[in-house]
Amino acid sequence: MKRLISLGVSLIILVVIYQRIDLEGLVQVFQDCDRLWMAISLGMVIPLTLLTAWRLQQLVPAKVHLGLGESNRLILAASTLNMVLPSKMGDIAKAYFMRDRGHLSGSLALSLVVFEKACDLLSLLLWCVFGLMLYPNKDWLFWIMTLAVVSGLLLGILLLSSPTIAQWSFRTLGRIAPKTIHPKLVKLSHAWGEMHSYFWGDRRQLLRITLTSIVIWFLHLLQIWFFILALRASTPFLANLALSPLAILAGLLPLTFAGVGTRDAALILFYQPYFSAATGAALGLLCTSRYLLPAIGGLPFLGQYLSTVKQEPPHESS
């Protein structure tokens, strides 16, 4: 039912968007695109997926053998689930795949994925803060968003660096959250504590994963800028560093199907000083392809992982 509701919300937003733009103009934008830049920008999905898979390899303990091929399959299968699960929850499912494939204990697998997603979010916020600080045309809405993004970045750093603050936050959430999600909060709290012990025990590995995450998200934002070039539009790169993360964050809200609709509306709204709504809608479709292409690539592997989870007896969680 939740998936149907989110799909309905996405469809409503898309209907509103496409009623207000020139559909012939949208088609014309794609017809007039720069095909070389289009190929380059879409092709960046491959190195980005491989680099993300390599990072997952670096996350696991040295004694655990996780080949690049297996890591890549895990990333692709999680991408498939991310298309139908809210707020990138497909990446959490990746932890259970690693557990049931015998790579890691359940708690350590979950802690690695939690850390991986925390690094992704903080890297995205870091580039967003950098771009917003240099973005010249900030009105009151952009100042509020800048404050919110800076606050989120600082809070995330505190939660990663201080187990005391992290556990206090989980206890506070436990008091105000519905009872139905208490077990999930308890499990996440334990995973967060194990993650902190594991990663802060090896500062060199922590630095390597952090820098890799920052580079990965720079390349993601560069890909979106390449999309803009492919559509023969123009946006300063520093402005893109501010605006594209905001649109991505809008797509992470658990309101729509895989962020479709909210992300498109945000792109049209934020980029309106630089190009038309039709071009913004075209950019939204290309940004959706960033998630769709890996999801399609993960379809052949998803059934294999799901059947493993169903057939194998559950492993110990610790």
Side-chain angles (χ1 to χ4, degrees):
M1 180 59 68
K2 290 181 179 179
R3 287 291 82 203
L4 289 175
I5 292 173
S6 63
L7 180 59
V9 173
S10 288
L11 290 175
I12 291 171
I13 295 175
L14 289 177
V15 167
V16 172
I17 289 174
Y18 287 110
Q19 280 182 338
R20 298 191 175 191
I21 67 171
D22 178 11
L23 292 180
E24 291 184 1
L26 174 61
V27 173
Q28 192 64 44
V29 167
F30 280 112
Q31 289 178 340
D32 295 339
C33 73
D34 186 312
R35 286 166 174 72
L36 177 60
W37 274 115
M38 187 66 73
I40 292 172
S41 56
L42 290 173
M44 284 187 68
V45 168
I46 296 174
L48 278 167
T49 302
L50 290 173
L51 186 56
T52 305
W54 180 83
R55 182 185 62 178
L56 182 60
Q57 270 192 300
Q58 305 307 306
L59 282 167
V60 302
K63 62 181 180 181
V64 176
H65 177 68
L66 179 64
L68 184 61
E70 177 75 2
S71 179
N72 192 59
R73 289 191 291 271
L74 284 166
I75 296 295
L76 291 173
S79 298
T80 306
L81 288 175
N82 280 335
M83 291 299 295
V84 295
L85 297 178
S87 302
K88 296 287 188 177
M89 289 302 293
D91 290 300
I92 301 300
K94 183 169 58 185
Y96 295 95
F97 294 156
M98 286 193 289
R99 180 200 67 181
D100 288 306
R101 299 284 286 188
H103 293 300
L104 300 167
S105 67
S107 59
L108 181 57
L110 181 58
S111 69
L112 295 185
V113 172
V114 167
F115 181 76
E116 180 188 36
K117 294 302 102 186
C119 283
D120 277 337
L121 181 58
L122 291 181
S123 298
L124 177 62
L125 292 176
L126 177 65
W127 285 116
C128 190
V129 167
F130 179 76
L132 283 171
M133 289 299 182
L134 299 176
Y135 188 68
N137 304 317
K138 286 197 286 288
D139 54 16
W140 63 270
L141 177 61
F142 270 88
W143 279 113
I144 291 175
M145 289 188 292
T146 301
L147 179 62
V149 172
V150 170
S151 300
L153 178 62
L154 294 177
L155 177 61
I157 292 174
L158 283 175
L159 291 174
L160 274 182
S161 60
S162 172
T164 302
I165 293 177
Q167 293 307 315
W168 176 84
S169 300
F170 282 118
R171 287 195 300 269
T172 302
L173 282 175
R175 296 191 192 101
I176 63 178
K179 291 183 179 180
T180 54
I181 69 170
H182 279 190
K184 294 181 181 179
L185 283 175
V186 171
K187 184 178 291 187
L188 183 58
S189 174
H190 290 318
W192 197 274
E194 185 169 351
M195 173 269 294
H196 190 277
S197 300
Y198 176 75
F199 285 102
W200 284 92
D202 187 345
R203 301 296 178 87
R204 180 177 297 179
Q205 184 192 31
L206 178 66
L207 179 62
R208 181 170 62 247
I209 299 301
T210 300
L211 292 177
T212 302
S213 300
I214 293 172
V215 170
I216 286 174
W217 273 99
F218 175 80
L219 294 176
H220 277 300
L221 302 180
L222 182 65
Q223 181 188 32
I224 295 176
W225 192 59
F226 285 171
F227 284 151
I228 295 172
L229 297 181
L231 296 173
R232 299 190 186 277
S234 177
T235 302
F237 182 65
L238 290 178
N240 182 70
L241 288 181
L243 301 178
S244 54
L246 292 175
I248 292 172
L249 291 171
L252 292 178
L253 296 174
L255 302 173
T256 56
F257 180 80
V260 175
T262 48
R263 184 172 53 245
D264 301 74
L267 287 166
I268 293 171
L269 173 65
F270 294 145
Y271 283 92
Q272 61 181 348
Y274 300 102
F275 43 72
S276 67
T279 302
L283 180 60
L285 292 173
L286 290 175
C287 285
T288 298
S289 74
R290 298 175 58 248
Y291 306 98
L292 183 60
L293 292 175
I296 294 172
L299 283 173
F301 312 117
L302 182 60
Q304 173 188 355
Y305 286 118
L306 290 178
S307 63
T308 300
V309 172
K310 290 178 181 178
Q311 293 173 6
E312 292 186 4
H315 293 254
E316 294 296 327
S317 60
S318 62

